[in-house]
């Protein structure tokens, strides 16, 4: 059976169920790299130029870790997913980055996804991708239809059940979650964590931030718990027409959760990300206006776990103190 390697990084968190369905419907076996660890990070760092952002370094490490395990590596060039909104140049040029830095990589499946172009262009790219596995256009069409339905079901599951991408992919133990909340004597704090999915859900990159908060009995809200239309509307209220693909996850989620009066917002960014540095300022100013505590954490491969915990604890102490004074 043909094996397709999917790196557990970047757009994996948003689209894995859709990609998996597509390849499996065409008879392929999907192989996902292990969760990020020190070896994977070091492999990526060894190939990338120093000022590359951490998520790209991690992606490269995942690709290298898959080299002997699959026949193809899936690394799409996702240019635009909405009208006049674009991904950053590194995501757009991902297949070329992989080719240039990992010459020993197996054949890369690199469909171009650009919703700014015609529907025909999209279908053509999907068809060309499907041709690696079958010559039947009908089979490719059926796989694409099922894949899209998986994607819709995945998005709706997260917003309906209030769960994260990782919980939707791996399954969530709701009983344990309830026990964690029940073990907290006072009303739990509600904290919204905003940022790119590949930063929020990569436990190695962010030192298990979401898990840490949840185990303190804090109710954690993330962008995927809100329907996309609501995030989009919130982003438009704050900054007008979006231009970056991730504006809904950062500006939209920030504004949405600020309006719902959460106890605090944590923005998880990565050092050296141009789009992040522009987007986060909008949310930071808005949080200041609404007097909502806001913590900006910028991560890179040198960020220490201890430093992150100290800043997190100081932030939570400040919120708890504020709640006591206001009671
Ligand atoms: S949006 Fe930022 S973090 Fe994501 S790939 Fe581009 S530069 Fe890196």
């Amino acid at each position: 059976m043909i094996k397709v390697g999917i790196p557990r990084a970047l757009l994996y968190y948003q689209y894995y169920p859709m990609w998996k369905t597509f390849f499996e419907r065409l008879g392929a076996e999907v192989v996902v790299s292990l969760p990020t660890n020190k070896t994977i990070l070091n492999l990526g760092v060894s190939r990338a130029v120093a000022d590359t952002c951490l998520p790209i370094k991690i992606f490269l490490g995942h690709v290298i870790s898959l080299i002997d395990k699959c026949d193809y590596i899936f690394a799409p060039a996702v240019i635009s997913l909405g009208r006049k909104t674009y991904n950053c140049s590194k995501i757009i040029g991902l297949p070329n980055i992989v080719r240039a830095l990992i010459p020993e990589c197996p054949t890369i499946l690199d469909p171009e996804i650009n919703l700014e172009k015609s529907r025909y262009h999209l279908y053509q790219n999907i068809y060309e991708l499907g041709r690696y596995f079958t010559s039947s256009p009908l089979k490719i069409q059926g796989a694409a239809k099922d894949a899209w339905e998986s994607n819709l079901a995945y998005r709706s599951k997260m917003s309906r059940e209030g769960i994260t991408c990782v919980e939707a992919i791996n399954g969530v133990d709701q009983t344990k979650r309830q026990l964690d909340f029940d073990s907290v004597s006072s009303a739990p704090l509600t904290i919204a964590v905003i940022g790119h999915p590949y930063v929020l859900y990569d436990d190695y990159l962010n030192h298990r931030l979401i898990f840490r908060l949840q185990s303190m009995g804090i109710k954690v809200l993330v962008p995927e718990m809100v329907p996309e239309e609501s995030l989009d509307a919130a982003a438009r209220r704050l900054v007008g027409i979006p231009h970056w693909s991730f504006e809904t996850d950062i500006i939209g989620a920030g504004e949405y959760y600020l309006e719902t009066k959460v106890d605090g917002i944590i923005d998880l960014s990565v050092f050296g990300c141009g789009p992040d540095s522009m987007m986060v300022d909008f949310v930071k100013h808005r949080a200041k206006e609404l007097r909502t505590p806001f913590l900006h954490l910028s991560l890179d491969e040198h960020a220490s776990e201890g430093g992150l915990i100290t800043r997190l604890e100081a932030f939570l102490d400040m919120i708890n103190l504020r709640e006591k004074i206001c009671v």
Side-chain angles (χ1 to χ4, degrees), residues 100-119:
L101 299 177
I102 312 177
E104 71 274 35
C105 183
T107 304
I108 300 171
L109 303 178
D110 59 349
E112 180 185 293
I113 308 297
N114 186 354
L115 301 190
E116 270 289 288
K117 290 196 176 168
S118 65
R119 206 169 265 240

Side-chain angles (χ1 to χ4, degrees), residues 10 53 55-56 88-91 196 198-199 246 270 272-276:
L10 294 179
C53 68
I56 295 287
C88 94
S89 56
K90 289 167 188 146
I91 292 184
H196 300 281
Y198 46 83
V199 178
F246 289 102
V270 289
C273 171
D276 272 11

Side-chain angles (χ1 to χ4, degrees), residues 5 32 35 75 87 150 168 176 244 280 284 289:
V32 181
N87 266 316
S150 290
K176 186 183 167 306
W244 293 102
V280 71
K284 192 173 169 185
E289 241 173 59

